Amino acid sequence: REHGEDSLLGITEGDSALGAMAQARDIKHIALMPIRGKIISALKNNLDDVLANEEVKSIFSALNCGILDKYDSKKLRYGKVGIMTDADKDGLSIGCLIITLFYRLCPQFLQEGRLYWIRMPLYVLKYDKKRVYYAFDEHERDELFQKYGTKCEVSRKKGIGENSVQDNEMAVFGEQKRWERLTVDDWDDFEEKIIMMMGKDTTDRKEFVLQNVDFTHLWGE
């Protein structure tokens, strides 16, 4: 079935996200596909193993766009793909693996700006039935406190599965949604970094981590 350029295939983290998500989405423009655990690493495994992976086969069967030199955006069933994972380190890891998959199998999809990171709310600030606001990190939560006050009911989400239908309607698909389009300004730089961070060779990755990560919080100052 053809859905058009405005349609989106949302790749969700597990089946637990599907219930409330499915009820909140616009069924004409948004389809949801759950994946189990962490998808195969496209740069650490050989191409045959990547293509044999069930999640990979399901994603590209749904998109119908082909891969590598057979990629054709005119055949896409969905104009966009949305990464829909928990707002934690595992969710970030899964998101990075999905980006790596598209880089390996159809970099044109990335270059065309079709991949989105759909951020999940971390905090719900409920002031009354009509005034409900969502924050996607601690900084935004504090900004909402400054703007509307601290006298409200605050809840923190542990994962997508905790979202109610109303949460998804407002903060995932509605007026407070945060869809971040993943664009690449410098393809050569992006390619160098994704191979370093997601590839088989660990030497450069270890050096990058040692130079750029502050470990002092692990043992105190």
Side-chain angles (χ1 to χ4, degrees):
R1 181 182 174 185
E2 300 298 328
H3 295 274
E5 284 291 318
D6 291 334
S7 61
L8 177 133
L9 176 66
I11 301 177
T12 69
E13 183 181 348
D15 292 323
S16 63
L18 282 183
M21 285 279 190
Q23 294 180 60
R25 66 179 169 139
D26 175 358
I27 193 170
K28 293 182 179 179
H29 297 97
I30 297 173
L32 302 174
M33 174 180 290
I35 56 172
R36 302 173 185 173
K38 292 184 178 180
I39 199 167
I40 190 170
S41 177
L43 287 177
K44 292 180 181 177
N45 294 273
N46 65 56
L47 186 59
D48 288 340
D49 289 340
V50 173
L51 296 178
N53 181 267
E54 290 301 319
E55 274 82 13
V56 173
K57 289 194 288 187
S58 295
I59 290 170
F60 285 94
S61 175
L63 289 175
N64 194 50
C65 59
I67 61 170
L68 302 173
D69 59 345
K70 299 292 180 60
Y71 173 81
D72 185 353
S73 62
K74 294 179 181 178
K75 295 181 179 180
L76 279 166
R77 290 198 181 103
Y78 303 91
K80 299 185 284 286
V81 165
I83 297 169
M84 307 172 79
T85 60
D86 289 342
D88 58 18
K89 62 181 182 179
D90 287 333
L92 289 172
S93 178
I94 293 169
C96 288
L97 288 169
I98 293 172
I99 295 170
T100 305
L101 177 67
F102 279 90
Y103 162 75
R104 178 79 186 275
L105 296 187
C106 54
Q108 305 96 316
F109 193 89
L110 284 170
Q111 292 168 338
E112 292 165 0
R114 297 182 181 276
L115 189 60
Y116 288 73
W117 199 300
I118 298 179
R119 294 182 62 191
M120 296 296 147
L122 269 182
Y123 296 95
V124 185
L125 281 62
K126 185 174 182 180
Y127 288 86
D128 52 48
K129 290 183 178 180
K130 293 184 178 180
R131 295 191 303 155
V132 179
Y133 303 102
Y134 295 86
F136 295 81
D137 56 36
E138 286 77 9
H139 178 69
E140 290 187 4
R141 177 202 60 193
D142 294 342
E143 285 186 333
L144 288 171
F145 283 151
Q146 289 180 359
K147 186 174 182 178
Y148 299 108
T150 58
K151 292 183 178 180
C152 62
E153 178 184 330
V154 182
S155 59
R156 190 188 191 284
K157 300 291 183 180
K158 294 181 180 179
I160 302 174
E162 291 189 353
N163 287 357
S164 67
V165 174
Q166 182 187 28
D167 294 333
N168 290 324
E169 286 176 343
M170 295 180 68
V172 179
F173 302 116
E175 60 185 24
Q176 296 188 48
K177 70 182 181 183
R178 194 70 54 79
W179 291 18
E180 297 178 350
R181 187 179 188 179
L182 302 179
T183 58
V184 180
D185 296 325
D186 185 333
W187 185 261
D188 290 338
D189 181 63
F190 166 75
E191 195 162 31
E192 178 183 330
K193 284 186 169 60
I194 197 170
I195 290 172
M196 176 186 68
M197 299 304 294
M198 304 299 291
K200 294 180 180 179
D201 189 350
T202 62
T203 305
D204 289 343
R205 181 158 62 247
K206 287 179 180 177
E207 185 64 26
F208 178 86
V209 170
L210 289 172
Q211 291 182 3
N212 292 276
V213 176
D214 180 6
F215 294 100
T216 57
H217 71 282
L218 296 178
W219 54 78
E221 297 182 3

